[in-house]
Structures are given as C-alpha cells and as structure tokens.
CSV table of all heavy atoms in Angstrom, one decimal:
chain,number,residue,atom,x,y,z
Y,505,MET,N,0.8,-1.2,0.0
Y,505,MET,CA,0.0,0.0,0.0
Y,505,MET,C,0.9,1.2,0.0
Y,505,MET,O,1.9,1.3,0.8
Y,505,MET,CB,-0.9,0.0,1.2
Y,505,MET,CG,-1.9,1.1,1.2
Y,505,MET,SD,-2.7,1.3,2.8
Y,505,MET,CE,-3.0,-0.4,3.3
Y,506,VAL,N,0.6,2.2,-0.8
Y,506,VAL,CA,1.4,3.4,-0.9
Y,506,VAL,C,0.5,4.6,-0.9
Y,506,VAL,O,-0.7,4.5,-1.1
Y,506,VAL,CB,2.3,3.4,-2.2
Y,506,VAL,CG1,3.3,2.3,-2.2
Y,506,VAL,CG2,1.4,3.4,-3.4
Y,507,HIS,N,1.1,5.8,-0.8
Y,507,HIS,CA,0.4,7.1,-1.0
Y,507,HIS,C,0.0,7.2,-2.4
Y,507,HIS,O,0.8,6.9,-3.3
Y,507,HIS,CB,1.3,8.2,-0.5
Y,507,HIS,CG,0.5,9.5,-0.4
Y,507,HIS,ND1,0.2,10.3,-1.5
Y,507,HIS,CD2,0.1,10.2,0.6
Y,507,HIS,CE1,-0.5,11.3,-1.1
Y,507,HIS,NE2,-0.5,11.3,0.2
Y,508,PRO,N,-1.3,7.7,-2.7
Y,508,PRO,CA,-1.7,7.8,-4.1
Y,508,PRO,C,-0.7,8.6,-5.0
Y,508,PRO,O,-0.5,8.3,-6.1
Y,508,PRO,CB,-3.0,8.5,-4.0
Y,508,PRO,CG,-3.6,8.1,-2.6
Y,508,PRO,CD,-2.3,8.0,-1.7
Y,509,LYS,N,-0.1,9.6,-4.4
Y,509,LYS,CA,0.8,10.5,-5.2
Y,509,LYS,C,2.2,9.8,-5.4
Y,509,LYS,O,3.0,10.3,-6.1
Y,509,LYS,CB,1.0,11.8,-4.5
Y,509,LYS,CG,-0.2,12.7,-4.6
Y,509,LYS,CD,0.0,14.0,-3.9
Y,509,LYS,CE,-1.3,14.8,-4.1
Y,509,LYS,NZ,-1.3,16.1,-3.3
Y,510,ASP,N,2.4,8.6,-4.9
Y,510,ASP,CA,3.6,7.8,-5.1
Y,510,ASP,C,3.6,7.1,-6.4
Y,510,ASP,O,4.6,6.5,-6.9
Y,510,ASP,CB,3.9,6.9,-4.0
Y,510,ASP,CG,4.4,7.6,-2.7
Y,510,ASP,OD1,4.9,8.7,-2.9
Y,510,ASP,OD2,4.3,7.0,-1.7
Y,511,ALA,N,2.4,7.1,-7.1
Y,511,ALA,CA,2.3,6.4,-8.4
Y,511,ALA,C,1.6,7.3,-9.4
Y,511,ALA,O,0.5,7.1,-9.8
Y,511,ALA,CB,1.5,5.1,-8.2
Y,512,PRO,N,2.3,8.4,-9.8
Y,512,PRO,CA,1.7,9.4,-10.6
Y,512,PRO,C,1.4,9.0,-12.0
Y,512,PRO,O,0.6,9.6,-12.7
Y,512,PRO,CB,2.8,10.6,-10.6
Y,512,PRO,CG,4.0,9.9,-10.3
Y,512,PRO,CD,3.7,8.7,-9.4
Y,513,ASP,N,2.0,7.9,-12.5
Y,513,ASP,CA,1.7,7.4,-13.8
Y,513,ASP,C,0.4,6.7,-13.9
Y,513,ASP,O,-0.1,6.4,-15.0
Y,513,ASP,CB,2.8,6.5,-14.3
Y,513,ASP,CG,4.1,7.3,-14.5
Y,513,ASP,OD1,4.0,8.5,-14.7
Y,513,ASP,OD2,5.2,6.6,-14.6
Y,514,LEU,N,-0.2,6.3,-12.8
Y,514,LEU,CA,-1.5,5.6,-12.8
Y,514,LEU,C,-2.6,6.5,-13.0
Y,514,LEU,O,-2.6,7.7,-12.6
Y,514,LEU,CB,-1.7,4.7,-11.6
Y,514,LEU,CG,-0.6,3.7,-11.2
Y,514,LEU,CD1,-1.0,2.9,-10.0
Y,514,LEU,CD2,-0.3,2.8,-12.4
Y,515,HIS,N,-3.7,6.1,-13.7
Y,515,HIS,CA,-4.8,6.9,-13.9
Y,515,HIS,C,-6.1,6.1,-13.5
Y,515,HIS,O,-6.2,4.9,-13.6
Y,515,HIS,CB,-4.9,7.5,-15.3
Y,515,HIS,CG,-5.0,6.4,-16.3
Y,515,HIS,ND1,-3.9,5.8,-16.9
Y,515,HIS,CD2,-6.1,5.8,-16.9
Y,515,HIS,CE1,-4.3,4.9,-17.8
Y,515,HIS,NE2,-5.7,4.9,-17.8
Y,516,LEU,N,-7.1,6.9,-13.0
Y,516,LEU,CA,-8.4,6.3,-12.6
Y,516,LEU,C,-9.2,5.9,-13.8
Y,516,LEU,O,-9.2,6.6,-14.8
Y,516,LEU,CB,-9.1,7.3,-11.8
Y,516,LEU,CG,-10.3,6.9,-10.9
Y,516,LEU,CD1,-9.8,5.9,-9.9
Y,516,LEU,CD2,-10.9,8.1,-10.2
Y,517,THR,N,-9.8,4.7,-13.7
Y,517,THR,CA,-10.6,4.2,-14.8
Y,517,THR,C,-12.1,4.4,-14.4
Y,517,THR,O,-12.4,4.5,-13.2
Y,517,THR,CB,-10.4,2.7,-15.1
Y,517,THR,OG1,-10.7,2.0,-13.9
Y,517,THR,CG2,-9.0,2.5,-15.6
Y,518,GLY,N,-12.9,4.6,-15.3
Y,518,GLY,CA,-14.3,4.9,-15.0
Y,518,GLY,C,-15.3,4.2,-15.9
Y,518,GLY,O,-14.8,3.6,-16.8
Y,519,PRO,N,-16.6,4.3,-15.7
Y,519,PRO,CA,-17.2,5.0,-14.5
Y,519,PRO,C,-17.2,4.1,-13.3
Y,519,PRO,O,-17.2,2.9,-13.3
Y,519,PRO,CB,-18.6,5.2,-15.0
Y,519,PRO,CG,-18.9,4.0,-15.9
Y,519,PRO,CD,-17.6,3.7,-16.6
Y,520,LEU,N,-17.1,4.7,-12.1
Y,520,LEU,CA,-17.1,4.0,-10.9
Y,520,LEU,C,-18.4,3.7,-10.3
Y,520,LEU,O,-18.6,2.8,-9.5
Y,520,LEU,CB,-16.3,4.9,-9.8
Y,520,LEU,CG,-14.8,5.1,-10.1
Y,520,LEU,CD1,-14.3,6.2,-9.2
Y,520,LEU,CD2,-14.0,3.9,-10.0
Y,521,SER,N,-19.5,4.3,-10.8
Y,521,SER,CA,-20.9,4.1,-10.4
Y,521,SER,C,-21.0,4.1,-8.9
Y,521,SER,O,-20.6,5.0,-8.2
Y,521,SER,CB,-21.5,2.9,-11.1
Y,521,SER,OG,-20.8,1.7,-10.8
Y,522,ILE,N,-21.5,2.9,-8.4
Y,522,ILE,CA,-21.8,2.9,-6.9
Y,522,ILE,C,-20.5,2.9,-6.1
Y,522,ILE,O,-20.6,3.0,-4.9
Y,522,ILE,CB,-22.6,1.6,-6.6
Y,522,ILE,CG1,-21.8,0.4,-6.9
Y,522,ILE,CG2,-23.9,1.7,-7.3
Y,522,ILE,CD1,-22.5,-0.9,-6.3
Y,523,HIS,N,-19.3,2.7,-6.7
Y,523,HIS,CA,-18.1,2.7,-6.0
Y,523,HIS,C,-17.5,4.1,-5.9
Y,523,HIS,O,-16.4,4.2,-5.4
Y,523,HIS,CB,-17.1,1.7,-6.6
Y,523,HIS,CG,-17.7,0.3,-6.6
Y,523,HIS,ND1,-17.9,-0.4,-5.5
Y,523,HIS,CD2,-18.1,-0.5,-7.6
Y,523,HIS,CE1,-18.5,-1.6,-5.8
Y,523,HIS,NE2,-18.6,-1.6,-7.1
Y,524,GLN,N,-18.2,5.1,-6.3
Y,524,GLN,CA,-17.8,6.5,-6.2
Y,524,GLN,C,-18.4,7.0,-4.9
Y,524,GLN,O,-19.6,7.0,-4.7
Y,524,GLN,CB,-18.3,7.3,-7.4
Y,524,GLN,CG,-18.1,8.8,-7.4
Y,524,GLN,CD,-16.6,9.1,-7.5
Y,524,GLN,OE1,-15.9,8.5,-8.2
Y,524,GLN,NE2,-16.1,10.1,-6.7
Y,525,GLY,N,-17.5,7.6,-4.1
Y,525,GLY,CA,-17.9,8.2,-2.8
Y,525,GLY,C,-18.4,9.6,-3.1
Y,525,GLY,O,-18.6,10.0,-4.3
Y,526,CYS,N,-18.5,10.4,-2.1
Y,526,CYS,CA,-18.9,11.8,-2.3
Y,526,CYS,C,-17.8,12.7,-2.9
Y,526,CYS,O,-18.1,13.6,-3.6
Y,526,CYS,CB,-19.6,12.4,-1.1
Y,526,CYS,SG,-18.5,13.1,0.1
Y,527,CYS,N,-16.6,12.4,-2.6
Y,527,CYS,CA,-15.5,13.2,-3.1
Y,527,CYS,C,-14.4,12.4,-3.8
Y,527,CYS,O,-13.5,13.0,-4.4
Y,527,CYS,CB,-14.8,13.9,-1.9
Y,527,CYS,SG,-15.8,15.0,-1.0
Y,528,GLY,N,-14.5,11.1,-3.9
Y,528,GLY,CA,-13.5,10.3,-4.6
Y,528,GLY,C,-13.9,8.9,-4.6
Y,528,GLY,O,-15.0,8.5,-4.0
Y,529,PRO,N,-13.1,8.0,-5.2
Y,529,PRO,CA,-13.5,6.6,-5.3
Y,529,PRO,C,-13.4,5.9,-3.9
Y,529,PRO,O,-12.5,6.3,-3.1
Y,529,PRO,CB,-12.4,6.0,-6.2
Y,529,PRO,CG,-11.3,7.0,-6.1
Y,529,PRO,CD,-11.9,8.3,-5.9
Y,530,LEU,N,-14.3,5.0,-3.7
Y,530,LEU,CA,-14.3,4.3,-2.4
Y,530,LEU,C,-13.3,3.1,-2.4
Y,530,LEU,O,-12.9,2.7,-1.3
Y,530,LEU,CB,-15.7,3.7,-2.1
Y,530,LEU,CG,-16.8,4.7,-1.9
Y,530,LEU,CD1,-18.2,4.0,-2.0
Y,530,LEU,CD2,-16.7,5.5,-0.6
Y,531,GLY,N,-13.0,2.6,-3.5
Y,531,GLY,CA,-12.1,1.5,-3.6
Y,531,GLY,C,-12.8,0.1,-3.3
Y,531,GLY,O,-12.1,-0.9,-3.1
Y,532,THR,N,-14.1,0.2,-3.3
Y,532,THR,CA,-14.9,-1.1,-2.9
Y,532,THR,C,-15.2,-1.9,-4.1
Y,532,THR,O,-15.7,-3.0,-4.0
Y,532,THR,CB,-16.2,-0.7,-2.3
Y,532,THR,OG1,-16.9,0.3,-3.1
Y,532,THR,CG2,-16.0,-0.1,-0.9
Y,533,GLY,N,-14.8,-1.5,-5.3
Y,533,GLY,CA,-15.2,-2.2,-6.5
Y,533,GLY,C,-14.0,-3.0,-7.1
Y,533,GLY,O,-14.1,-3.4,-8.3
Y,534,GLY,N,-12.9,-3.2,-6.4
Y,534,GLY,CA,-11.8,-3.8,-7.0
Y,534,GLY,C,-10.9,-2.8,-7.7
Y,534,GLY,O,-11.0,-1.6,-7.5
Y,535,ARG,N,-10.0,-3.3,-8.5
Y,535,ARG,CA,-9.0,-2.5,-9.1
Y,535,ARG,C,-9.7,-1.4,-10.0
Y,535,ARG,O,-10.5,-1.6,-10.8
Y,535,ARG,CB,-8.1,-3.3,-10.0
Y,535,ARG,CG,-7.1,-4.2,-9.2
Y,535,ARG,CD,-6.4,-5.2,-10.0
Y,535,ARG,NE,-7.3,-6.2,-10.5
Y,535,ARG,CZ,-7.4,-6.6,-11.7
Y,535,ARG,NH1,-6.6,-6.1,-12.7
Y,535,ARG,NH2,-8.2,-7.5,-12.1
Y,536,ASN,N,-9.2,-0.1,-9.7
Y,536,ASN,CA,-9.8,1.0,-10.5
Y,536,ASN,C,-8.7,1.9,-11.0
Y,536,ASN,O,-9.0,3.0,-11.6
Y,536,ASN,CB,-10.8,1.8,-9.6
Y,536,ASN,CG,-10.1,2.3,-8.3
Y,536,ASN,OD1,-8.9,2.2,-8.2
Y,536,ASN,ND2,-10.9,2.8,-7.4
Y,537,MET,N,-7.4,1.5,-10.9
Y,537,MET,CA,-6.3,2.4,-11.4
Y,537,MET,C,-5.6,1.6,-12.4
Y,537,MET,O,-5.2,0.4,-12.2
Y,537,MET,CB,-5.4,2.7,-10.2
Y,537,MET,CG,-6.0,3.7,-9.2
Y,537,MET,SD,-6.3,5.3,-9.8
Y,537,MET,CE,-4.6,6.0,-9.6
Y,538,ALA,N,-5.3,2.2,-13.6
Y,538,ALA,CA,-4.6,1.6,-14.7
Y,538,ALA,C,-3.3,2.3,-14.9
Y,538,ALA,O,-3.1,3.5,-14.7
Y,538,ALA,CB,-5.5,1.6,-15.9
Y,539,CYS,N,-2.3,1.5,-15.4
Y,539,CYS,CA,-1.1,2.0,-15.8
Y,539,CYS,C,-1.2,2.6,-17.2
Y,539,CYS,O,-2.2,2.4,-17.9
Y,539,CYS,CB,0.1,1.0,-15.7
Y,539,CYS,SG,0.3,-0.1,-17.0
Y,540,PRO,N,-0.2,3.3,-17.8
Y,540,PRO,CA,-0.4,3.8,-19.1
Y,540,PRO,C,-0.7,2.8,-20.2
Y,540,PRO,O,-1.3,3.2,-21.2
Y,540,PRO,CB,1.0,4.5,-19.4
Y,540,PRO,CG,1.5,4.8,-18.0
Y,540,PRO,CD,1.0,3.7,-17.1
Y,541,CYS,N,-0.4,1.6,-20.0
Y,541,CYS,CA,-0.7,0.6,-21.1
Y,541,CYS,C,-2.2,0.1,-20.9
Y,541,CYS,O,-2.7,-0.6,-21.8
Y,541,CYS,CB,0.2,-0.6,-21.0
Y,541,CYS,SG,-0.2,-1.8,-19.6
Y,542,GLY,N,-2.9,0.5,-19.9
Y,542,GLY,CA,-4.3,0.2,-19.7
Y,542,GLY,C,-4.6,-0.9,-18.8
Y,542,GLY,O,-5.7,-1.2,-18.5
Y,543,ALA,N,-3.5,-1.6,-18.3
Y,543,ALA,CA,-3.7,-2.7,-17.4
Y,543,ALA,C,-4.1,-2.2,-16.0
Y,543,ALA,O,-3.5,-1.3,-15.5
Y,543,ALA,CB,-2.5,-3.6,-17.3
Y,544,LEU,N,-5.2,-2.8,-15.4
Y,544,LEU,CA,-5.6,-2.5,-14.1
Y,544,LEU,C,-4.6,-3.1,-13.1
Y,544,LEU,O,-4.4,-4.3,-13.0
Y,544,LEU,CB,-7.0,-3.0,-13.8
Y,544,LEU,CG,-8.1,-2.2,-14.6
Y,544,LEU,CD1,-9.4,-3.0,-14.5
Y,544,LEU,CD2,-8.3,-0.8,-14.0
Y,545,VAL,N,-3.9,-2.2,-12.3
Y,545,VAL,CA,-2.9,-2.7,-11.4
Y,545,VAL,C,-3.1,-2.3,-10.0
Y,545,VAL,O,-2.3,-2.8,-9.1
Y,545,VAL,CB,-1.5,-2.2,-11.9
Y,545,VAL,CG1,-1.1,-2.8,-13.2
Y,545,VAL,CG2,-1.5,-0.7,-11.9
Y,546,ALA,N,-4.0,-1.5,-9.6
Y,546,ALA,CA,-4.1,-1.0,-8.3
Y,546,ALA,C,-5.6,-0.6,-8.0
Y,546,ALA,O,-6.3,-0.3,-8.9
Y,546,ALA,CB,-3.2,0.1,-8.0
Y,547,THR,N,-5.8,-0.5,-6.7
Y,547,THR,CA,-7.1,0.0,-6.2
Y,547,THR,C,-6.9,1.3,-5.4
Y,547,THR,O,-6.2,1.3,-4.5
Y,547,THR,CB,-7.8,-1.0,-5.3
Y,547,THR,OG1,-7.9,-2.2,-6.0
Y,547,THR,CG2,-9.2,-0.5,-4.9
Y,548,LEU,N,-7.6,2.4,-5.8
Y,548,LEU,CA,-7.5,3.7,-5.1
Y,548,LEU,C,-8.7,3.9,-4.3
Y,548,LEU,O,-9.8,3.8,-4.8
Y,548,LEU,CB,-7.3,4.8,-6.1
Y,548,LEU,CG,-7.3,6.2,-5.5
Y,548,LEU,CD1,-6.1,6.4,-4.7
Y,548,LEU,CD2,-7.4,7.3,-6.6
Y,549,ALA,N,-8.5,4.2,-3.0
Y,549,ALA,CA,-9.5,4.6,-2.1
Y,549,ALA,C,-9.2,6.0,-1.7
Y,549,ALA,O,-8.2,6.2,-1.1
Y,549,ALA,CB,-9.6,3.7,-0.9
Y,550,ALA,N,-10.0,6.9,-2.1
Y,550,ALA,CA,-9.7,8.4,-1.8
Y,550,ALA,C,-10.9,9.2,-1.6
Y,550,ALA,O,-11.0,10.3,-2.1
Y,550,ALA,CB,-8.9,8.9,-3.0
Y,551,ASP,N,-11.9,8.7,-0.9
Y,551,ASP,CA,-13.0,9.5,-0.5
Y,551,ASP,C,-12.7,10.3,0.7
Y,551,ASP,O,-11.8,10.0,1.4
Y,551,ASP,CB,-14.3,8.6,-0.4
Y,551,ASP,CG,-15.6,9.5,-0.3
Y,551,ASP,OD1,-15.6,10.6,-0.8
Y,551,ASP,OD2,-16.6,9.0,0.3
Y,552,CYS,N,-13.6,11.3,1.0
Y,552,CYS,CA,-13.3,12.1,2.2
Y,552,CYS,C,-13.6,11.4,3.5
Y,552,CYS,O,-13.2,11.8,4.6
Y,552,CYS,CB,-14.2,13.4,2.2
Y,552,CYS,SG,-15.9,13.1,2.1
Y,553,MET,N,-14.4,10.2,3.4
Y,553,MET,CA,-14.8,9.5,4.6
Y,553,MET,C,-13.8,8.6,5.2
Y,553,MET,O,-13.9,8.1,6.3
Y,553,MET,CB,-16.0,8.6,4.2
Y,553,MET,CG,-17.2,9.4,3.6
Y,553,MET,SD,-18.1,10.3,4.8
Y,553,MET,CE,-19.1,9.0,5.5
Y,554,GLY,N,-12.6,8.4,4.5
Y,554,GLY,CA,-11.6,7.5,5.0
Y,554,GLY,C,-10.3,7.9,4.5
Y,554,GLY,O,-10.1,8.9,3.9
Y,555,PRO,N,-9.3,7.1,4.8
Y,555,PRO,CA,-7.9,7.4,4.4
Y,555,PRO,C,-7.8,7.3,2.9
Y,555,PRO,O,-8.5,6.5,2.3
Y,555,PRO,CB,-7.1,6.3,5.1
Y,555,PRO,CG,-8.0,5.2,5.4
Y,555,PRO,CD,-9.4,5.8,5.6
Y,556,HIS,N,-6.8,8.1,2.4
Y,556,HIS,CA,-6.5,8.0,1.0
Y,556,HIS,C,-5.4,7.0,0.8
Y,556,HIS,O,-4.3,7.2,1.3
Y,556,HIS,CB,-6.1,9.4,0.4
Y,556,HIS,CG,-7.2,10.3,0.3
Y,556,HIS,ND1,-7.2,11.4,-0.5
Y,556,HIS,CD2,-8.4,10.3,0.9
Y,556,HIS,CE1,-8.4,12.0,-0.4
Y,556,HIS,NE2,-9.1,11.4,0.4
Y,557,GLU,N,-5.7,5.9,0.2
Y,557,GLU,CA,-4.7,4.8,0.0
Y,557,GLU,C,-4.7,4.2,-1.4
Y,557,GLU,O,-5.8,4.2,-2.0
Y,557,GLU,CB,-5.1,3.6,1.0
Y,557,GLU,CG,-5.2,4.0,2.4
Y,557,GLU,CD,-5.7,2.8,3.3
Y,557,GLU,OE1,-6.4,1.9,2.7
Y,557,GLU,OE2,-5.5,2.9,4.5
Y,558,LEU,N,-3.5,3.9,-1.8
Y,558,LEU,CA,-3.4,3.2,-3.1
Y,558,LEU,C,-2.9,1.8,-2.8
Y,558,LEU,O,-1.8,1.6,-2.3
Y,558,LEU,CB,-2.4,3.9,-4.0
Y,558,LEU,CG,-2.3,3.3,-5.4
Y,558,LEU,CD1,-3.6,3.4,-6.2
Y,558,LEU,CD2,-1.2,4.0,-6.2
Y,559,HIS,N,-3.8,0.8,-3.1
Y,559,HIS,CA,-3.4,-0.6,-2.9
Y,559,HIS,C,-2.9,-1.2,-4.2
Y,559,HIS,O,-3.7,-1.4,-5.1
Y,559,HIS,CB,-4.7,-1.4,-2.4
Y,559,HIS,CG,-5.3,-0.9,-1.1
Y,559,HIS,ND1,-5.3,-1.6,0.0
Y,559,HIS,CD2,-5.8,0.3,-0.8
Y,559,HIS,CE1,-5.8,-0.9,1.0
Y,559,HIS,NE2,-6.2,0.3,0.5
Y,560,LEU,N,-1.7,-1.5,-4.2
Y,560,LEU,CA,-1.1,-2.1,-5.4
Y,560,LEU,C,-1.4,-3.6,-5.5
Y,560,LEU,O,-1.3,-4.3,-4.5
Y,560,LEU,CB,0.4,-1.9,-5.5
Y,560,LEU,CG,0.9,-0.5,-5.5
Y,560,LEU,CD1,2.4,-0.4,-5.3
Y,560,LEU,CD2,0.5,0.2,-6.7
Y,561,ASP,N,-1.8,-4.1,-6.6
Y,561,ASP,CA,-2.2,-5.5,-6.8
Y,561,ASP,C,-0.9,-6.4,-6.7
Y,561,ASP,O,-0.1,-6.2,-7.6
Y,561,ASP,CB,-2.9,-5.7,-8.1
Y,561,ASP,CG,-3.5,-7.1,-8.2
Y,561,ASP,OD1,-2.8,-8.1,-7.8
Y,561,ASP,OD2,-4.6,-7.3,-8.7
Y,562,PRO,N,-0.8,-7.2,-5.7
Y,562,PRO,CA,0.5,-8.0,-5.6
Y,562,PRO,C,0.7,-9.0,-6.7
Y,562,PRO,O,1.9,-9.4,-6.9
Y,562,PRO,CB,0.3,-8.8,-4.3
Y,562,PRO,CG,-1.2,-8.8,-4.1
Y,562,PRO,CD,-1.8,-7.6,-4.7
Y,563,LEU,N,-0.3,-9.3,-7.5
Y,563,LEU,CA,-0.1,-10.2,-8.6
Y,563,LEU,C,0.4,-9.5,-9.9
Y,563,LEU,O,0.9,-10.1,-10.8
Y,563,LEU,CB,-1.4,-11.0,-9.0
Y,563,LEU,CG,-1.9,-11.9,-7.9
Y,563,LEU,CD1,-3.2,-12.5,-8.4
Y,563,LEU,CD2,-0.9,-13.0,-7.6
Y,564,ARG,N,0.2,-8.2,-9.9
Y,564,ARG,CA,0.5,-7.4,-11.1
Y,564,ARG,C,1.6,-6.3,-10.9
Y,564,ARG,O,2.0,-5.6,-11.9
Y,564,ARG,CB,-0.8,-6.7,-11.6
Y,564,ARG,CG,-1.8,-7.7,-12.0
Y,564,ARG,CD,-3.1,-7.1,-12.3
Y,564,ARG,NE,-4.1,-8.1,-12.8
Y,564,ARG,CZ,-4.8,-8.9,-12.0
Y,564,ARG,NH1,-4.6,-8.9,-10.7
Y,564,ARG,NH2,-5.6,-9.8,-12.5
Y,565,VAL,N,2.1,-6.2,-9.7
Y,565,VAL,CA,3.1,-5.2,-9.4
Y,565,VAL,C,4.3,-5.8,-8.6
Y,565,VAL,O,4.1,-6.7,-7.8
Y,565,VAL,CB,2.4,-4.1,-8.5
Y,565,VAL,CG1,3.5,-3.1,-8.0
Y,565,VAL,CG2,1.3,-3.4,-9.2
Y,566,TYR,N,5.5,-5.4,-9.0
Y,566,TYR,CA,6.6,-5.8,-8.2
Y,566,TYR,C,7.5,-4.6,-7.8
Y,566,TYR,O,7.4,-3.6,-8.5
Y,566,TYR,CB,7.4,-6.9,-8.9
Y,566,TYR,CG,8.1,-6.5,-10.1
Y,566,TYR,CD1,9.4,-6.0,-10.1
Y,566,TYR,CD2,7.4,-6.6,-11.4
Y,566,TYR,CE1,10.0,-5.7,-11.3
Y,566,TYR,CE2,8.0,-6.2,-12.5
Y,566,TYR,CZ,9.3,-5.7,-12.5
Y,566,TYR,OH,9.9,-5.4,-13.6
Y,567,ALA,N,8.3,-4.8,-6.8
Y,567,ALA,CA,9.1,-3.7,-6.3
Y,567,ALA,C,10.5,-3.9,-6.6
Y,567,ALA,O,11.0,-5.1,-6.7
Y,567,ALA,CB,8.9,-3.5,-4.8
Y,568,TYR,N,11.3,-2.9,-6.9
Y,568,TYR,CA,12.7,-3.0,-7.1
Y,568,TYR,C,13.4,-1.7,-6.5
Y,568,TYR,O,12.7,-0.7,-6.5
Y,568,TYR,CB,13.1,-3.2,-8.5
Y,568,TYR,CG,12.6,-2.1,-9.5
Y,568,TYR,CD1,13.4,-1.0,-9.7
Y,568,TYR,CD2,11.4,-2.2,-10.1
Y,568,TYR,CE1,13.0,0.0,-10.6
Y,568,TYR,CE2,11.0,-1.2,-11.0
Y,568,TYR,CZ,11.8,-0.1,-11.2
Y,568,TYR,OH,11.4,0.8,-12.0
Y,569,PRO,N,14.6,-1.8,-6.1
Y,569,PRO,CA,15.3,-0.6,-5.6
Y,569,PRO,C,15.3,0.5,-6.6
Y,569,PRO,O,15.7,0.3,-7.8
Y,569,PRO,CB,16.7,-1.1,-5.2
Y,569,PRO,CG,16.5,-2.6,-5.1
Y,569,PRO,CD,15.5,-3.0,-6.1
Y,570,ALA,N,15.0,1.8,-6.2
Y,570,ALA,CA,15.0,2.9,-7.1
Y,570,ALA,C,16.3,3.2,-7.7
Y,570,ALA,O,16.4,3.8,-8.8
Y,570,ALA,CB,14.3,4.1,-6.4
Y,571,ASP,N,17.4,2.9,-6.9
Y,571,ASP,CA,18.7,3.3,-7.4
Y,571,ASP,C,19.4,2.2,-8.3
Y,571,ASP,O,20.6,2.4,-8.6
Y,571,ASP,CB,19.6,3.6,-6.2
Y,571,ASP,CG,19.8,2.4,-5.2
Y,571,ASP,OD1,19.1,1.4,-5.5
Y,571,ASP,OD2,20.6,2.5,-4.3
Y,572,THR,N,18.7,1.2,-8.6
Y,572,THR,CA,19.2,0.1,-9.5
Y,572,THR,C,19.4,0.7,-10.9
Y,572,THR,O,18.5,1.3,-11.5
Y,572,THR,CB,18.3,-1.1,-9.5
Y,572,THR,OG1,18.2,-1.6,-8.2
Y,572,THR,CG2,18.9,-2.2,-10.4
Y,573,THR,N,20.6,0.4,-11.5
Y,573,THR,CA,20.8,0.8,-12.9
Y,573,THR,C,20.2,-0.3,-13.7
Y,573,THR,O,20.7,-1.5,-13.7
Y,573,THR,CB,22.3,1.0,-13.2
Y,573,THR,OG1,23.0,-0.1,-12.7
Y,573,THR,CG2,22.7,2.3,-12.5
Y,574,MET,N,19.2,0.0,-14.5
Y,574,MET,CA,18.5,-1.1,-15.2
Y,574,MET,C,19.2,-1.3,-16.6
Y,574,MET,O,19.6,-0.5,-17.3
Y,574,MET,CB,17.1,-0.6,-15.5
Y,574,MET,CG,16.3,-0.3,-14.3
Y,574,MET,SD,15.7,-1.8,-13.4
Y,574,MET,CE,14.5,-2.4,-14.6
Z,1098,LIG,ZN1,-16.8,13.8,0.4
C-alpha cells in the first residue's frame, strides 16, 4: 500500500458508479487504477470519509530498488 501520489503514472478508470464516494473513489469495486498501457494494477480509495490509500495488486506489481541501474 502506498500514498496515491507515489504512483503518478497511474490513472483512474471509470465509470465508478456505486463505488464512487462523495469526493472520490471508495475502492470497494476492486482495481480502479490503470497504468499507461491500460492494465488495471491497483485500487485507489480516496473519498473524504476514510484514508487515501493506493493498494497495489500483488499479482501485477513488483518492487525494485529505485537506485538500481537497469
Ligand atoms: Zn466527500
């Protein structure tokens, strides 16, 4: 789980319909954030009623050290 602003390349997919809160997505409908290629990779919960969290899908996302020369 990361801060939503830690993954600026992801974008919200829509429409969220019932999974839209009053100020942002509830995150109750499963993955709602896509990477630039269109693959759904994370769930964003960012309504005013709760914490703003970005849940990365463990099956579709992996971590590596940022200072690694690729
Ligand atoms: Zn609200």
Side-chain angles (χ1 to χ4, degrees):
M505 187 191 319
V506 298
H507 189 283
K509 289 181 179 171
D510 287 340
D513 291 340
L514 302 186
H515 60 274
L516 199 59
T517 58
L520 295 169
S521 62
I522 63 168
H523 302 293
Q524 174 69 38
C526 83
C527 297
L530 294 168
T532 51
R535 287 169 291 133
N536 58 11
M537 293 289 281
C539 83
C541 79
L544 288 167
V545 294
T547 304
L548 175 66
D551 191 23
C552 61
M553 304 284 280
H556 287 201
E557 300 174 342
L558 183 66
H559 299 247
L560 299 173
D561 189 321
L563 297 178
R564 295 170 178 82
V565 174
Y566 65 92
Y568 60 88
D571 59 353
T572 299
T573 49
M574 301 285 292

